[in-house]
Amino acid sequence: KLLAGPETDVRLRLLELIEARQDASLLPDVHALLLDKDDSVRERALRCIKTFGKKESAEPLLAAAGKEEDEYIKVEMAEALLELGDPRGFGPLIEVITGGEAVQARRDGWEHLKAHAVIDVPFRAELPPEENAKAIEDLRRWWRDNGKKLVLERAGVFRAGI
């Protein structure tokens, strides 16, 4: 009940405690905080989830990433999915890369994508989307053509399967 309370500081401290104690029994409550109104709570919940590294976090992460308005947090949620071995994390990453307003968020998303996928697209994050039209089209095509057949290979890198 304390995790659902109105005090941001209390929720943050409880998340620290849950993470420090590695108390996975509270993971469903932590998942709920991925949708918290306060971005610092969402970020702290994400950090806690990444520490646990449990596959059961994939669905809550994907749902939260789909609703997340902060591009930086969305990128980190997507990366957490990829780190769990779930290729659906590429969807929110590509969403930020191809349409994000913040240059640094696009750059972060692109760096995470390149770290987790074998892909050859000449995207330049510093350019506005309209100047990256061809690369964006290629990136969306890659996701559309390969999204369902990506397999996890070495060290967290996905490659299109046959």
Side-chain angles (χ1 to χ4, degrees):
K1 289 190 175 202
L2 286 174
L3 280 172
E7 295 295 324
T8 299
D9 289 342
V10 171
R11 293 192 310 277
L12 289 170
R13 298 284 292 160
L14 286 170
L15 284 166
E16 286 176 31
L17 186 61
I18 291 167
E19 183 179 357
R21 291 185 180 213
Q22 298 277 314
D23 188 352
S25 71
L26 293 171
L27 203 48
D29 296 309
V30 176
H31 291 153
L33 292 178
L34 290 170
L35 299 172
D36 195 90
K37 65 183 183 306
D38 187 278
D39 61 345
S40 63
V41 172
R42 294 192 311 276
E43 287 175 316
R44 193 69 182 87
L46 177 59
R47 186 169 133 192
C48 188
I49 287 167
K50 287 175 105 174
T51 298
F52 283 112
K54 302 276 189 188
K55 295 219 182 270
E56 67 197 69
S57 296
E59 293 302 327
L61 277 167
L62 185 63
K67 296 176 182 174
E68 183 58 58
E69 293 182 13
D70 183 300
E71 294 173 350
Y72 296 97
I73 296 174
K74 182 180 284 235
V75 164
E76 293 307 313
M77 288 176 172
E79 183 192 27
L81 277 164
L82 295 173
E83 289 173 352
L84 289 174
D86 192 326
R88 296 177 298 172
F90 287 114
L93 267 187
I94 291 170
E95 187 179 316
V96 173
I97 293 167
T98 61
E101 293 180 20
V103 172
Q104 189 59 49
R106 289 196 311 264
R107 184 175 289 124
D108 291 350
W110 179 242
E111 288 174 8
H112 290 315
L113 188 137
K114 288 190 310 183
H116 290 281
V118 177
I119 184 169
D120 184 27
V121 172
F123 181 80
R124 293 182 48 205
E126 71 278 4
L127 296 178
E130 56 274 5
E131 292 182 41
N132 260 328
K134 172 78 169 88
I136 287 172
E137 179 183 324
D138 291 346
L139 189 54
R140 287 181 175 149
R141 182 180 312 106
W142 173 83
W143 178 237
R144 186 175 54 252
D145 294 349
N146 298 298
K148 299 266 191 253
K149 55 186 177 181
L150 290 171
V151 292
L152 185 60
E153 288 192 339
R154 60 179 169 73
V157 176
F158 290 85
R159 184 183 300 272
I162 296 173

